[in-house]
Amino acid sequence: MPENDKDETSIRTCLVKLGDVNHTLFLKRYKFSNEDNEVLQQNPTLMVLNVPSYCEKKHVRQWFEDCGKILSIHAQNKPGNIVKPKHTSTYFPSTSNHGFQVFYVTFQSHEALSDALHKESVEIMECDHSNEIFHTGITKWCYDYVQSFPDREKLQAEIDRFMNAYDAKTVKEEEDERENDGIPDEEGWIKVTRRGNNPGLSRTELNDFKLKQKIKKRKKDQVTLHSYSYQIRESKRAKIVELRNKFEEDKVKIKAMKNARKFKPFG
């Protein structure tokens, strides 16, 4: 791309050198959409595409940290709107990146973003692999498999932190429900909770099993008058004939009552 091209909205190329292997990245100023966070929209962001799987956030930070202060670095599998992960668990990640990635580098100033966009046209970005081993191919698969077994103590510590936060959140929700029990909201609606005067039955596995057993016992206790299907059909037909006869009798009675009426205005 020509050096005199100052259009920062176009896609620029960057060469990453790892030993004797060269790889090309694509850089572009990220254009925010209405769905992005308002806090993110206030800061300029660089979109780095075609990043290989062996490059991590620390490598991306190393490439652009001399351009200016970096506020955040976010990685995704595909380009698009910046979606921040809801959970930041070490052992239970919400999403995992496979293959090539897209990095979003948020700078503090527009000058830093401009320097990052123009940096690749005059310099060759190199990965520092002097004290680091990059795994690729089947070696990477074996390495990922070994790393998939977490440390038990660290895993248990993270689980305990999560459960303590969840218990505290549950206790706070119960306290809020007790305080607002029976109190209408702004629109006049009263929220019905399972802790009211007539709480509903919670849909748990044990309660569902008890309900099924109760229905099964009720069916078993019922006395079956007819054992065969033709007997059931005959009984239904007899019931219909009985209802029709009764209907005809009622019509005769109503007609007789109408004929027996007499006009008595002064009676």
Side-chain angles (χ1 to χ4, degrees):
M1 184 173 292
E3 293 183 4
N4 57 1
D5 185 9
K6 302 300 183 181
D7 185 12
E8 296 182 353
T9 60
S10 60
I11 298 177
R12 295 172 175 266
T13 59
C14 170
L15 186 64
V16 176
K17 185 177 180 181
L18 178 59
D20 297 334
V21 180
N22 295 333
H23 185 78
T24 303
L25 303 179
F26 301 100
L27 309 182
K28 183 182 179 182
R29 177 193 290 269
Y30 178 68
K31 184 178 180 180
F32 291 95
S33 62
N34 296 330
E35 298 179 1
D36 291 322
N37 193 349
E38 295 181 359
V39 179
L40 294 174
Q41 297 182 10
Q42 298 176 0
N43 299 309
T45 301
L46 174 69
M47 184 167 57
V48 186
L49 300 94
N50 201 34
V51 181
S53 59
Y54 53 80
C55 293
E56 302 177 359
K57 290 184 179 180
K58 58 182 179 181
H59 304 120
V60 178
R61 182 177 295 275
Q62 176 187 355
W63 299 339
F64 302 106
E65 62 184 357
D66 58 343
C67 297
K69 185 176 180 180
I70 298 176
L71 300 180
S72 64
I73 299 177
H74 177 65
Q76 292 183 181
N77 290 332
K78 296 180 180 180
N81 296 330
I82 299 178
V83 180
K84 293 292 184 180
K86 297 181 180 179
H87 306 285
T88 58
S89 174
T90 304
Y91 303 101
F92 304 98
S94 57
T95 57
S96 59
N97 296 329
H98 300 284
F100 291 92
Q101 309 171 70
V102 180
F103 280 85
Y104 297 88
V105 185
T106 303
F107 293 95
Q108 188 177 17
S109 62
H110 292 274
E111 291 78 8
L113 174 61
S114 179
D115 293 341
L117 285 169
H118 291 82
K119 183 178 181 180
E120 81 288 351
S121 61
V122 294
E123 295 183 6
I124 297 178
M125 314 300 296
E126 296 183 358
C127 294
D128 184 13
H129 57 282
S130 58
N131 299 324
E132 190 172 6
I133 299 176
F134 292 93
H135 302 277
T136 58
I138 190 171
T139 306
K140 184 178 185 303
W141 295 344
C142 297
Y143 177 78
D144 293 341
Y145 175 76
V146 174
Q147 295 297 321
S148 63
F149 296 95
D151 184 80
R152 292 187 177 182
E153 295 182 357
K154 294 181 180 180
L155 177 61
Q156 186 63 44
E158 181 173 340
I159 293 174
D160 293 339
R161 289 194 299 270
F162 176 82
M163 293 306 301
N164 292 334
Y166 176 79
D167 293 339
K169 179 181 177 182
T170 305
V171 171
K172 187 176 183 304
E173 290 178 354
E174 292 179 355
E175 292 178 354
D176 294 341
E177 286 183 0
R178 293 191 185 95
E179 292 178 358
N180 299 326
D181 188 16
I183 301 177
D185 56 7
E186 298 178 354
E187 298 180 356
W189 295 93
I190 298 178
K191 182 179 179 181
V192 179
T193 62
R194 63 177 183 271
R195 298 179 181 83
N197 297 328
N198 188 16
L201 183 65
S202 58
R203 295 301 300 272
T204 60
E205 184 177 358
L206 180 59
N207 291 335
D208 291 342
F209 177 76
K210 289 181 178 179
L211 182 60
K212 291 179 181 179
Q213 292 296 326
K214 186 176 180 180
I215 296 174
K216 186 177 179 180
K217 185 176 182 299
R218 184 184 304 169
K219 291 183 178 180
K220 185 178 180 180
D221 293 340
Q222 290 179 352
V223 180
T224 305
L225 298 178
H226 305 289
S227 302
Y228 300 99
S229 58
Y230 78 92
Q231 292 178 332
I232 298 175
R233 288 197 299 268
E234 292 296 333
S235 63
K236 289 182 178 179
R237 290 173 182 173
K239 185 67 175 177
I240 293 174
V241 172
E242 182 182 353
L243 291 175
R244 287 177 177 175
N245 294 335
K246 190 175 184 303
F247 178 70
E248 296 295 335
E249 293 177 358
D250 292 339
K251 285 182 15 179
V252 173
K253 290 181 181 179
I254 293 173
K255 186 176 181 180
M257 292 173 62
K258 289 182 178 179
N259 295 331
R261 285 180 183 174
K262 294 181 180 180
F263 183 69
K264 298 178 180 180
F266 305 103

